[in-house]
Amino acid sequence: MNKLIELYGKQTAEASADWAAILQAQACPFLGRRCVKNRKSQPKKTIGVCAVVHGRGDAQTAAIICPHRLLEGRKIFMDSVHLLALHEPGNDLHIVPEVSIPGGSVDYFLVSARERKVKDFVGVELQTLDTTGSTWPARQQFIRAAGGGGASKVTAQGTAFGINWKMTAKTILVQIHHKAHTFEALGKHLVVVVQDCLLRYFEKEFSFGHVHQQPLVGDAVHFHAYRLGMKNAASGNPLTLASRHSTDSVGIATCLGLQSKANLELDDILERLSSKISERTLLTC
């Protein structure tokens, strides 16, 4: 059974929620402003779906589908402060969104600065799961039911969407591979924030055995996996850091199975060099 569990930061099971007011405001509590996920066919309407439950029985997964949901309490940034090697007491911490670097754009930079001069930084990339199909029909079904009988009587279920595990995982690893070289060359860190269920998919479907289970500060890429708690409506669904792992740019290439390609490129260079060496190219005194 696929169903919505969070809409505009509120649990769909919360009986006391004023859904008329919530839908009118269309506010994202994690961004502190109006939801930015607009519906393509109706730009003035926002989708507002933060998380869903996917699957049946023991295979059910609470999946975050909006990256802004990961901004809860700014925990992801505080959990990355230790990677600011040059941060000192008295420095200010800044969160700078959407910065372009060689290899692509990074969602956020956690910056340590003194008197507005940057002393150190860490890149923070957010990745949540994508859906197959739209969550809009399930959202509308929930709204109609909540308006008629109260949220406590609503299942908020819908079968129009699924979770696109394969595409999500492959896309983020390719993006990380491109950016890892830049951070590695600079001697800086890139933190990839994911949900624990997505990290488990990485480990199952990709070559992940070489990734350090105990993170090394010297590695350029750090995976921070968060668990979405499922508590009562009053407490909300809190995010907690479940595990941390790390690797380097070569490790990301190995995850993607690019090692064989790298070897072919090396072989090609060796062949080209072999064809050009001769008595005339010898280094002599």
Side-chain angles (χ1 to χ4, degrees):
M1 177 187 296
N2 304 334
K3 63 179 182 179
L4 314 185
I5 56 173
E6 284 187 1
L7 185 63
Y8 295 110
K10 290 285 187 181
Q11 291 194 66
T12 55
E14 186 173 337
S16 61
D18 184 349
W19 288 107
I22 292 169
L23 292 168
Q24 177 68 27
Q26 299 185 73
C28 171
F30 311 110
L31 287 174
R33 58 192 176 96
R34 191 176 188 269
C35 174
V36 296
K37 297 192 74 172
N38 296 82
R39 193 171 188 229
K40 291 180 180 179
S41 60
Q42 297 173 290
K44 292 186 178 180
K45 288 189 176 181
T46 58
I47 298 172
V49 180
C50 310
V52 302
V53 164
H54 172 68
R56 295 179 178 275
D58 294 338
Q60 277 195 338
T61 300
I64 297 172
I65 64 169
C66 176
H68 305 305
R69 177 64 180 85
L70 294 169
L71 297 174
E72 177 194 308
R74 299 301 191 264
K75 293 177 184 178
I76 60 173
F77 302 113
M78 296 307 299
D79 290 338
S80 301
V81 170
H82 69 288
L83 295 172
L84 290 167
L86 302 179
H87 178 67
E88 295 180 341
N91 287 14
D92 296 316
L93 293 173
H94 298 264
I95 300 170
V96 183
E98 291 293 334
V99 177
S100 295
I101 65 165
S105 177
V106 178
D107 292 328
Y108 293 93
F109 274 78
L110 173 64
V111 176
S112 174
R114 184 180 288 266
E115 297 178 353
R116 294 202 169 189
K117 291 185 178 179
V118 175
K119 300 298 182 181
D120 205 356
F121 62 83
V122 171
V124 182
E125 190 81 354
L126 313 185
Q127 182 61 51
T128 50
L129 287 156
D130 292 328
T131 61
T132 58
S134 173
T135 58
W136 187 259
R139 174 196 189 274
Q140 294 303 93
Q141 179 186 356
F142 168 77
I143 290 169
R144 287 193 296 270
S152 61
K153 298 181 181 180
V154 178
T155 61
Q157 69 181 44
T159 58
F161 67 90
I163 300 296
N164 196 344
W165 294 94
K166 185 175 182 179
M167 183 58 70
T168 300
K170 188 67 176 290
T171 299
I172 186 58
L173 287 177
V174 170
Q175 291 175 351
I176 295 167
H177 181 243
H178 291 159
K179 296 168 187 175
H181 291 286
T182 298
F183 281 89
E184 205 162 63
L186 295 171
K188 302 300 181 183
H189 299 96
L190 175 64
V191 175
V192 183
V193 180
V194 297
Q195 201 178 347
D196 56 346
C197 57
L198 180 54
L199 183 66
R200 289 195 297 270
Y201 184 85
F202 285 156
E203 293 172 334
K204 183 178 70 173
E205 298 295 330
F206 295 87
S207 176
F208 242 70
H210 62 284
V211 174
H212 297 123
Q213 300 300 304
Q214 296 296 324
L216 301 180
V217 174
D219 281 340
V221 180
H222 288 249
F223 290 95
H224 286 189
Y226 287 80
R227 180 179 300 113
L228 180 64
M230 298 298 293
K231 295 191 174 182
N232 56 55
S235 302
N237 301 333
L239 278 180
T240 55
L241 182 60
S243 65
R244 296 185 296 122
H245 310 275
S246 71
T247 188
D248 54 16
S249 60
V250 175
I252 296 297
T254 302
C255 291
L256 287 165
L258 298 179
Q259 190 61 48
S260 58
K261 181 179 179 181
N263 286 339
L264 287 173
E265 290 174 350
L266 176 60
D267 292 341
D268 182 62
I269 293 171
L270 293 175
E271 184 177 345
R272 287 170 182 265
L273 291 174
S274 296
S275 69
K276 291 181 178 294
I277 61 173
S278 67
E279 290 291 327
R280 294 166 55 179
T281 60
L282 280 172
L283 177 63
T284 59
C285 298

